[in-house]
Amino acid sequence: MEQFEEISELIGRFQTLMATQANLVQREQAAREAVEEERRCLQEYLDESSNKILLQNNWVAELQGQLEQTRAKVLELESNWICIQNTAAGKTLELGQIKLAILNLFQMVAKHRKLRMNVPQEDTEAQLDEVQLCVEDLTAILADFRKAEPPQPSQPEKRVSSQASTSASRSQLLSRVCIATTTSSVTCTTNPLILGKVKLRLDASLAPRSQKPHQLG
């Protein structure tokens, strides 16, 4: 044990110990405050990380929902694309059949009028123009022939019979449209849809003539 000879030495030693104690207490307080600050920062970091994780999970769930919707949309678009391809194939086949029917009709007209086959087989519009000219000429001749006939008294029953006969003749004409000529190697078609479209085209070409008959010179 340390011995002090003077009271002043004892007092000095006491003061030194008190100063050291105060310094240690101050350092301990600062360390505790630093620990509390670190704990607070750690808690804030944990809370912020939890919020970020929650937001990321929500974002992942939203992206998964969008992915499912996109997959469903892709399946729908693929189904629509297959339907479009099937429709296009059907329309292409129908167009080929229509062109074939027009070609057969043009060959019949060319054979009837003894025309040269100078129109290409791919030029469907030119073939229709030739057919239209032939139909217009025949319509004009028929109109002039009817004008030359003496007038007959109107009879309702015969008129109905005449209309039925005209409809039957038109049906026969439309049926003969698709018959291939004996000298042609092209096959024919009897598709009712094609006959209907050809009928509409013929009716459209005959409509102006039926209203204003052409007068032959």
Side-chain angles (χ1 to χ4, degrees), residues 30-72:
R32 287 181 179 179
E33 291 178 357
V35 170
E36 292 296 330
E37 181 67 20
E38 292 296 330
R39 286 179 179 176
R40 186 181 63 81
C41 292
L42 177 61
Q43 187 63 36
E44 290 180 356
Y45 175 76
L46 292 176
D47 295 339
E48 184 179 358
S49 299
S50 299
N51 293 332
K52 287 183 178 180
I53 291 173
L54 182 61
L55 291 176
Q56 293 295 328
N57 291 335
N58 294 335
W59 186 47
V60 169
E62 183 179 356
L63 290 178
Q64 288 179 349
Q66 293 179 0
L67 178 61
E68 295 298 330
Q69 293 179 359
T70 304
R71 288 177 177 175

Side-chain angles (χ1 to χ4, degrees), residues 100-119 124-139 173-174 176-184 198 201-202 205-206:
L100 183 60
I102 294 173
L103 178 61
N104 291 334
L105 182 60
F106 171 73
Q107 290 176 348
M108 293 176 61
V109 170
K111 181 179 179 181
H112 174 72
R113 302 181 66 181
K114 297 181 180 180
L115 299 176
R116 293 183 179 180
M117 302 291 292
N118 55 356
V119 179
T124 305
E125 294 183 0
Q127 296 172 5
L128 283 175
D129 292 337
E130 293 293 336
V131 173
Q132 183 177 1
L133 290 176
C134 179
V135 172
E136 289 176 353
D137 292 341
L138 294 177
T139 303
L173 176 60
L174 290 175
R176 293 176 58 189
V177 162
C178 298
I179 299 177
T181 59
T182 56
T183 60
S184 175
V198 175
R201 182 62 184 266
L202 292 177
S205 63
L206 290 176

